[in-house]
Amino acid sequence: MRAAGFWSDQTLLEFFSRHARNDPGRLAVVGYEAASNRRTALTYGELQQTADRIAANLLRLGVKPGEVVSYQLPNWWQFVTLHLALLRIGAVTNPIMPIFRDREMEFMLTLAETRVLIVPRRFRDFDHAAMADRLKVKVPTLEHIVVIGSGDDRDFEAVLNAPGERVEAATGASADDVVQLLYTSGTTGEPKGVMHTSNTLLNGVRYFEDRVHLTANDVVLMASPMAHQTGFLVGLLLPLYLGGRVVLQDIWNPAKAADIVETERVTMTMASTPFLADLTAEAELRPEAMKSLRTFVSAGAPIPRVLVRRATENLGAHIISGWGMTEN
């Protein structure tokens, strides 16, 4: 693969650090949280500083190179900073879908030998912090639970985002190190933990960039879960690789998505067919809100031809069909 030119032999951190150095004031991540109606914006410089703090504090918790750190988070800005921080110290990112509950979580955390788990206090009326406490009793390796929004001594801000010593770049992951552990859906048995390196992940991103003709000027809306490979590749890796911007939506709401497209001047998104149908319906009501949208990549299910016609006419965007899986 290397001889054929598929591997870049670089990590996301190398691309990201270059963008942060060259244009630290450029917007990198904008997050919309439905429950609080909050908009959070981070520049490349701010994102780098935050990731460095988190990396230092993960080291303080004893996280070592090659160790798996699990987090069950929606599309929040913390998701992005955690992956960058783990790359800094050579540890492995294990994102877990927020829909999973005790049984699935126990299996996944045990298989990964997870010592550190990061969860929201509550999300969509479910108490993730309480579940994490139950899991700590059942998972032999689980030592540290970090909670976003707990307001106590295990709060994300107090444990991971507090000022700490700077991490030397030499501790970072190499392009052939495993940097992601992502579980499959387990439709034919227990979920399988798929292991990816920077070379395997960025190879897909590079060809996605080429086929969809994206640049640093693109603004990507990501409402698909980043704990799925679609969201991880297109919502996290792709924008930071390009030096562009990602806009995160944690709970899908078509009217809110249309507001975000209009406000943030979104040019591209990728999601499953129902998302395309929903956004097309919004475009029929508010065509002016979609003027910036240039490309919608749809995957996960076949796209009915009638929907493609409606979407093309009303969104005014190129509709591209995609296919993929956790493994590739």
Side-chain angles (χ1 to χ4, degrees):
M1 300 297 282
R2 184 171 286 105
F6 291 109
W7 294 167
S8 67
D9 283 330
Q10 292 178 284
T11 71
L12 175 67
L13 205 58
E14 294 173 70
F15 294 97
F16 168 75
S17 298
R18 183 161 60 247
H19 302 316
R21 182 174 60 253
N22 293 340
D23 196 357
R26 186 180 181 89
L27 268 185
V29 177
V30 176
Y32 283 84
E33 293 182 35
S36 62
N37 199 29
R38 183 188 300 130
R39 177 188 184 271
T40 303
L42 292 171
T43 66
Y44 272 85
E46 291 167 337
L47 192 58
Q48 184 175 54
Q49 292 172 1
T50 305
D52 284 350
R53 284 196 300 272
I54 294 171
N57 286 306
L58 286 168
L59 287 176
R60 184 177 55 79
L61 292 181
V63 176
K64 296 178 175 57
E67 182 176 337
V68 175
V69 172
S70 302
Y71 50 91
Q72 186 184 39
L73 297 178
N75 288 5
W76 290 351
W77 64 265
Q78 293 93 336
F79 193 114
V80 179
T81 56
L82 279 164
H83 180 60
L84 291 171
L86 290 166
L87 285 174
R88 292 281 279 124
I89 62 176
V92 180
T93 297
N94 173 218
I96 299 176
M97 284 287 291
I99 60 171
F100 289 129
R101 299 295 180 252
D102 294 64
R103 178 184 174 275
E104 296 90 349
M105 289 290 290
E106 181 183 353
F107 172 84
M108 293 174 182
L109 297 179
T110 301
L111 189 63
E113 299 182 351
T114 297
R115 285 198 315 111
V116 179
L117 171 65
I118 301 104
V119 297
R121 185 180 67 83
R122 296 188 70 87
F123 181 65
R124 304 196 82 158
D125 296 324
F126 181 76
D127 193 331
H128 287 267
M131 179 176 66
D133 288 334
R134 295 192 297 271
L135 290 166
K136 193 173 182 181
V137 178
K138 298 178 180 179
V139 179
T141 57
L142 188 55
E143 296 178 22
H144 303 285
I145 294 171
V146 181
V147 182
I148 296 176
S150 67
D152 55 21
D153 60 0
R154 63 179 185 173
D155 190 280
F156 181 90
E157 294 298 316
V159 179
L160 292 182
N161 203 19
E165 295 180 6
R166 184 174 173 81
V167 182
E168 294 300 325
T171 60
S174 74
D176 283 328
D177 288 335
V178 173
V179 296
Q180 184 208 57
L181 173 69
L182 197 60
Y183 285 100
T184 62
S185 59
T187 50
T188 58
E190 297 288 6
K192 297 173 287 295
V194 177
M195 297 180 288
H196 276 287
T197 69
S198 292
N199 271 330
T200 60
L201 290 172
L202 289 179
N203 180 60
V205 168
R206 286 169 58 214
Y207 286 95
F208 198 99
E209 170 199 15
D210 179 59
R211 298 290 178 88
V212 187
H213 307 296
L214 300 175
T215 72
N217 294 321
D218 279 291
V219 179
V220 177
L221 170 64
M222 187 44 60
S224 300
M226 287 197 295
H228 273 167
Q229 200 67 289
T230 291
F232 196 90
L233 290 176
V234 180
L236 196 165
L237 297 191
L238 181 64
L240 299 185
Y241 163 82
L242 291 171
R245 184 192 323 166
V246 63
V247 182
L248 304 175
Q249 185 178 11
D250 63 348
I251 296 177
W252 177 245
N253 178 299
K256 182 64 177 178
D259 291 341
I260 292 171
V261 170
E262 185 172 28
T263 301
E264 305 292 341
R265 308 303 295 163
V266 169
T267 62
M268 180 267 175
T269 191
M270 180 171 181
S272 61
T273 303
F275 287 67
L276 177 61
D278 287 348
L279 208 57
T280 299
E282 286 297 317
E284 291 171 348
L285 300 173
R286 302 168 53 190
E288 74 286 347
M290 303 298 172
K291 287 182 178 179
S292 64
L293 189 64
R294 193 179 75 246
T295 304
F296 193 120
V297 182
S298 184
I303 315 174
R305 291 184 180 183
V306 64
L307 175 57
V308 174
R309 285 195 296 270
R310 279 182 57 216
T312 302
E313 292 169 2
N314 292 284
L315 286 175
H318 294 290
I319 311 303
I320 301 173
S321 179
W323 180 90
M325 57 196 296
T326 307
E327 290 83 349
N328 56 8

